[in-house]
C-alpha cells in the first residue's frame, strides 16, 4: 500500500514531531522542506547560500526553487514505493497546484491540519530557540501563514481531502488522535 499525506499546521504546531510518528506507523518517507533547506544552508550549497537570509527573515523561499526540490525528492524510491508525508509543503496555492501536477494520477490520501491556537504556538516557538525563532521571525512567519498558507487549506477542503486534528495535548495523545484520523480516511 502506498500512503500519500500532507501535514499542515501553524509553525510550532508540532508538525515535525508528528510527521515522525506517521513515518514510524506507515513506513513512508518524511519530506520536510524546512529540514531540506536547513541542510542546504549548513552545507553552503548555492541554494543554501541564497535561502539563508530569506529564512532568517521568516520569509518564504521562492516557489520555483521549492517546487523543484520537492518534485525531485518525490521521484526517489522511498517516496514512490511506501509513499510520503510532506511537512512544510505546500504552503502557497502555486505550490499546491504544482504538487497535484507532479502527482498526476497518484492522488493524495489526506491533508491533515494539526490545529493549535495562535497563543500556544507562539509560546512553543519562543521556548525552542531555532535561528529563525526571534520575535520578528515568529511574527512574520505566522503572518505569512495566514496570508499564503490558510488559502491552501481551503483549496484541499474543496477537494474533500482535509482532515482536522486537535493538536493540543501530549505528544502521545496527539499521535493516537492523528493516526486514528488517518486510518479512518485511508
Ligand atoms: P516553520 O514551520 O516554523 O516555518 P519550517 O522548518 O517548515 O518551519 O520552515 C523554515 C523556513 O524554511 C520557512 O520560514 C521558509 O523560509 C522556508 N520554507 C520551508 N518550506 C517552505 C516552502 N514550502 N515554501 C517556501 N519556503 C519554505
Amino acid at each position: 500500500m502506498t500512503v500519500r499525506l500532507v501535514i499542515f499546521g501553524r509553525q510550532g504546531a508540532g508538525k515535525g514531531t508528528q510527521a515522525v510518528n506517521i513515518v514510524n506507523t506507515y513506513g513512508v518517507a518524511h519530506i520536510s522542506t524546512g529540514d531540506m533547506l536547513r541542510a542546504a544552508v549548513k552545507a553552503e550549497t548555492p541554494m543554501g547560500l541564497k535561502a539563508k537570509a530569506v529564512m532568517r527573515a521568516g520569509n518564504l523561499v521562492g516557489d520555483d526553487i521549492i517546487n523543484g526540490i520537492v518534485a525531485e525528492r518525490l521521484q526517489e524510491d522511498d517516496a514512490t514505493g511506501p509513499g510520503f508525508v510532506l511537512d512544510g509543503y505546500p504552503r502557497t496555492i502555486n505550490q499546491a497546484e504544482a504538487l497535484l501536477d507532479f502527482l498526476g494520477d497518484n492522488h493524495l490520501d489526506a491533508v491533515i491540519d494539526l490545529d493549535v491556537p495562535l497563543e500556544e504556538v507562539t509560546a512553543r516557538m519562543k521556548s525552542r530557540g531555532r535561528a529563525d525563532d526571534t520575535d520578528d521571525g515568529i511574527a512574520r512567519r505566522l503572518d505569512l501563514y495566514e496570508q499564503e498558507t490558510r488559502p491552501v487549506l481551503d483549496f484541499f477542503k474543496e477537494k474533500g481531502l482535509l482532515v482536522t486534528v486537535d493538536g493540543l495535548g501530549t505528544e502521545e495523545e496527539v499521535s493516537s488522535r492523528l493516526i486514528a484520523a488517518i486510518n479512518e480516511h485511508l
Side-chain angles (χ1 to χ4, degrees):
M1 186 172 79
T2 305
V3 178
R4 302 184 192 91
L5 303 167
V6 173
I7 187 161
F8 243 92
R10 289 197 173 92
Q11 292 81 355
K15 275 177 303 188
T17 309
Q18 294 303 335
V20 172
N21 289 325
I22 292 176
V23 167
N24 293 337
T25 306
Y26 301 103
V28 293
H30 182 191
I31 306 185
S32 158
T33 45
D35 287 351
M36 287 159 88
L37 289 167
R38 278 184 291 275
V41 169
K42 198 164 168 215
E44 302 185 331
T45 65
M47 182 188 75
L49 293 171
K50 258 190 169 166
K52 189 173 179 177
V54 175
M55 291 171 73
R56 188 61 72 100
N59 287 320
L60 292 175
V61 172
D63 286 332
D64 289 351
I65 295 182
I66 291 286
N67 288 337
I69 302 178
V70 174
E72 259 180 36
R73 181 65 186 86
L74 284 173
Q75 284 170 22
E76 287 176 36
D77 292 347
D78 56 344
T80 57
F84 54 81
V85 55
L86 280 164
D87 161 10
Y89 181 94
R91 51 176 104 183
T92 63
I93 290 284
N94 172 296
Q95 294 176 17
E97 285 171 345
L99 174 64
L100 295 190
D101 209 42
F102 333 128
L103 291 176
D105 291 333
N106 300 322
H107 297 289
L108 287 173
D109 292 294
V111 173
I112 298 126
D113 180 26
L114 198 55
D115 191 24
V116 177
L118 199 58
E119 306 72 55
E120 172 70 15
V121 295
T122 310
R124 288 186 190 175
M125 277 190 278
K126 284 189 175 159
S127 66
R128 91 187 161 180
R130 214 169 67 190
D132 54 348
D133 286 340
T134 58
D135 286 351
D136 285 352
I138 292 171
R140 176 72 185 143
R141 273 152 50 233
L142 288 170
D143 202 37
L144 276 174
Y145 183 82
E146 295 305 326
Q147 285 172 35
E148 302 282 347
T149 308
R150 176 80 53 197
V152 180
L153 282 183
D154 296 331
F155 173 92
F156 285 121
K157 195 174 183 180
E158 275 167 30
K159 299 195 181 298
L161 286 169
L162 194 67
V163 179
T164 302
V165 174
D166 177 4
L168 284 178
T170 64
E171 182 186 332
E172 291 73 23
E173 281 163 357
V174 176
S175 169
S176 8
R177 228 179 265 150
L178 183 69
I179 302 299
I182 296 171
N183 284 341
E184 214 171 288
H185 219 79
L186 288 179

